[in-house]
Amino acid sequence: PHVSRVEQYGLAQLPPLPAKEERRSPEVKPTVGLGPVRFGMKKDEVISLFGKPDRVEMNGMALAYLSRGYTVFIKPQRGVFSFSCYSQTGFAIQVRDFAGKTSAGIGIGSSLEDLKAAFGVPSGKEESNRLNKTVKYNSQGLSFSLVDNKVVSFFMSTVRRADPE
């Protein structure tokens, strides 16, 4: 008999939030990492600190913690090279809004004014239209997506250090 298989992307039900604060709402540390996880760490180190991911994507290079609103990207040689932090806005699958913030309080829901107060003038601003814009701070390795002047997601990557003067 023919059995049809339904493939589900995402999670039918998000697992409960972890008890550990550093897993639930890790501090965003530009150029350093996310909570206890640092740029350059290996996959097993990330899993020992953040726990088992909700999904493993991109042939093992993306550890998606959808129930916490963040994904860790890892290369076998380089280790952790970027983090994506997101909210339900703009996501087709069910995710929880990322609850972590920078030491200056920047996170999901921050405004462009908040970003400028924390990081100064953006190094790049790409406007896709009136409502959506992307604001970049290259020296911090940050790229923020805003909808209606509120951060809905952001991407943090390693910053290649320039040679000292």
Side-chain angles (χ1 to χ4, degrees):
H2 178 71
V3 178
S4 66
R5 222 172 44 131
V6 175
E7 280 213 38
Q8 184 166 6
Y9 186 77
L11 307 166
Q13 199 175 348
L14 294 175
L17 282 168
K20 286 185 178 176
E21 181 73 27
E22 64 187 16
R23 291 181 177 185
R24 238 187 5 251
S25 57
E27 186 183 342
V28 178
K29 301 171 184 164
T31 75
V32 178
L34 188 64
V37 174
R38 303 282 182 259
F39 287 115
M41 279 186 173
K42 299 291 179 221
K43 187 179 189 171
D44 55 351
E45 293 178 279
V46 174
I47 294 171
S48 75
L49 292 165
F50 274 163
K52 187 177 169 291
D54 299 325
R55 289 179 69 99
V56 177
E57 300 166 345
M58 293 170 52
N59 295 326
M61 292 201 333
L63 304 180
Y65 295 89
L66 304 171
S67 60
R68 307 179 206 166
Y70 58 85
T71 297
V72 182
F73 297 93
I74 303 165
K75 288 193 172 147
Q77 286 76 33
R78 274 178 58 203
V80 173
F81 68 94
S82 66
F83 300 92
S84 177
C85 302
Y86 37 83
S87 62
Q88 187 61 65
T89 304
F91 247 80
I93 59 171
Q94 189 184 10
V95 299
R96 271 200 192 97
D97 291 1
F98 175 70
K101 297 194 178 328
T102 66
S103 59
I106 299 298
I108 300 298
S110 295
S111 68
L112 182 57
E113 292 68 36
D114 296 335
L115 295 178
K116 286 178 179 169
F119 302 114
V121 178
S123 36
K125 192 160 72 173
E126 299 148 22
E127 293 200 37
S128 34
N129 61 41
R130 218 164 35 80
L131 285 178
N132 304 343
K133 65 176 56 152
T134 302
V135 178
K136 293 185 175 178
Y137 290 94
N138 297 335
S139 66
Q140 300 286 315
L142 292 167
S143 174
F144 294 91
S145 296
L146 290 85
V147 173
D148 213 7
N149 197 37
K150 295 273 179 264
V151 172
V152 295
S153 67
F154 59 96
F155 198 71
M156 180 170 65
S157 50
T158 50
V159 176
R160 295 240 180 273
R161 292 271 170 245
D163 292 331
E165 320 290 281

